[in-house]
């Protein structure tokens, strides 16, 4: 189903999920560099807070037993043994989270890599895009926050948001950054403290509440609505656009799903395989 909105909107925003997780180790500089080389419009990443206050790019506030090696070279074990919120970044940087290929991504090319600081990713991405003669990329930064983690794996939402925003501002990319979260507390704090930041409400597949109810709980209309791609229908696209939001679903990896969503008029795709999405657009 094609809509008038689809016909007049800009080119879809292709976001490399955790950089380009299907091709390089997730949330590492090699993944972000590969995404920039491919020509993504946005880099998507997750952030947590280290014990010394450093904003670290990581999907979990601990080392994954699937992905990471201890400084000794031994695979990390057991699950959640290393809590990043209780470690300094110097300690975190000694672990290798790139040498072990993710079992779900057979095309992924392993390369030794630490969990990077958010500041380093942003500054390197700005320089690398310029080096390649590419337009500056946008940044979709997910704050990984849960109420039950507070005080154990993360600070309170206000402290979390302030630390992330300080890095974004210091790197001069506020106008090209969207903060994302499933935790409405994070988005509420961000809207109150930093109204200049674009925000995205992320929605899990199991959340089947009506859009109006989700927005009522949030308390405002964010710039972006980010549902699990399986929730996207023509009706949802129309509802989201009627409220002035962009709709950018996650995580879309099969070409046939990309085709369906683009036909419905989504405003972008978050994907582990930005090469597939960009090839589809070129066709």
């Amino acid at each position: 189903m094609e809509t008038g909105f689809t016909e007049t909107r800009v080119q879809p925003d292709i976001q490399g999920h955790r950089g380009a997780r299907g091709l390089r180790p997730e949330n590492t500089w090699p993944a972000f560099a590969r995404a920039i080389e491919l020509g993504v419009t946005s880099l998507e990443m997750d952030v947590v807070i280290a014990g010394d206050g450093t904003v670290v790019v990581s999907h979990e506030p601990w080392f994954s037993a699937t992905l990471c090696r201890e400084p000794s070279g031994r695979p990390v074990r057991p699950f959640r043994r290393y809590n990043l919120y209780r470690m300094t970044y110097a300690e975190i940087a000694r672990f290798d989270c790139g040498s072990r290929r993710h079992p779900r991504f057979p095309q992924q090319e392993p390369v030794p890599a630490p969990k990077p600081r958010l500041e380093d990713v942003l500054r390197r991405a700005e320089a690398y895009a310029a080096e390649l003669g590419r337009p500056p990329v946008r940044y979709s930064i997910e704050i990984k926050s849960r109420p039950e983690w507070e005080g154990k794996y993360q600070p309170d939402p206000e402290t979390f948001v302030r630390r992330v925003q300080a890095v974004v501002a210091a790197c001069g990319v506020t106008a090209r950054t969207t903060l994302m979260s499933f935790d409405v507390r994070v988005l509420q704090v961000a809207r109150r403290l930093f109204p200049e930041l674009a925000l995205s409400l992320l929605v899990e597949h199991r959340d089947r509440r009506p859009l109006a109810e989700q927005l009522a709980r949030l308390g405002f209309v964010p710039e972006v609505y980010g549902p699990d791609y399986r929730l996207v229908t023509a009706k949802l696209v129309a509802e989201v656009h009627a409220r002035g939001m962009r709709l950018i679903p996650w995580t879309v990896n099969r070409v046939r799903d990309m085709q369906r969503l683009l036909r419905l008029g989504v405003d972008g795709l978050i994907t582990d395989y930005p090469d597939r999405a960009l090839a589809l657009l070129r066709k």
Side-chain angles (χ1 to χ4, degrees), residues 20-263:
R21 180 167 62 154
L23 308 174
R24 298 290 189 278
E26 66 176 63
N27 280 326
T28 65
W29 173 246
F32 297 122
R34 184 62 183 135
I36 294 170
E37 292 163 3
L38 289 168
V40 299
T41 43
S42 296
L43 297 177
E44 191 274 350
M45 64 196 72
D46 313 278
V47 293
V48 301
I49 304 295
D52 59 6
T54 302
V55 184
V56 180
V57 179
S58 176
H59 186 258
E60 303 90 8
W62 53 77
F63 284 104
S64 167
T66 302
L67 306 177
C68 300
R69 293 185 184 275
E70 297 179 1
S72 66
R74 184 179 66 181
V76 165
R77 62 175 191 258
F79 181 55
R80 300 193 187 190
R81 175 182 176 184
Y82 294 102
N83 179 353
L84 305 189
Y85 191 50
R86 299 288 183 247
M87 301 172 68
T88 67
Y89 182 69
E91 293 170 327
I92 292 168
R94 297 177 60 217
F95 287 68
D96 172 18
C97 293
S99 295
R100 301 172 68 192
R101 179 184 288 110
H102 195 299
R104 285 175 38 215
F105 299 97
Q107 292 177 250
Q108 189 183 88
E109 296 182 19
V111 56
K115 290 183 182 292
R117 301 188 307 162
L118 175 62
E119 180 177 359
D120 294 336
V121 170
L122 299 181
R123 294 194 186 282
R124 292 184 74 174
E126 293 291 286
Y128 196 46
E131 179 185 330
L132 296 179
R134 299 285 174 78
V137 294
R138 298 185 60 84
Y139 303 98
S140 291
I141 301 174
E142 181 185 348
I143 291 183
K144 302 299 293 189
S145 171
R146 296 182 183 178
E148 63 270 24
W149 286 356
E150 195 170 320
K152 181 178 181 182
Y153 291 112
Q154 67 172 76
D156 62 274
E158 180 168 331
T159 300
F160 208 150
V161 169
R162 286 187 182 277
R163 290 195 181 279
V164 175
Q165 188 275 341
V167 174
V168 169
C171 293
V173 297
T174 300
R176 286 183 277 117
T177 295
T178 299
L179 286 189
M180 311 186 298
S181 191
F182 292 97
D183 189 341
V184 296
R185 303 175 308 155
V186 165
L187 300 179
Q188 290 163 347
V189 166
R191 180 49 45 99
R192 174 171 57 85
L193 296 178
F194 308 108
E196 70 278 11
L197 277 171
L199 303 177
S200 174
L201 173 63
L202 297 176
V203 178
E204 295 276 10
H205 179 249
R206 63 178 177 268
D207 188 349
R208 300 306 180 100
R209 293 173 299 160
L211 176 62
E213 184 177 333
Q214 293 172 347
L215 295 179
R217 180 168 179 259
L218 179 60
F220 62 91
V221 177
E223 286 72 20
V224 181
Y225 184 73
D228 182 302
Y229 79 95
R230 293 168 291 180
L231 295 173
V232 179
T233 62
K235 179 175 181 290
L236 180 63
V237 173
E239 290 179 341
V240 169
H241 288 163
R243 287 170 169 80
M245 295 182 289
R246 290 181 293 137
L247 197 160
I248 302 180
W250 55 274
T251 300
V252 193
N253 288 339
R254 294 182 300 185
V255 171
R256 67 174 180 268
D257 292 323
M258 295 176 184
Q259 291 171 322
R260 178 184 75 86
L261 292 163
L262 291 171
R263 283 196 297 268

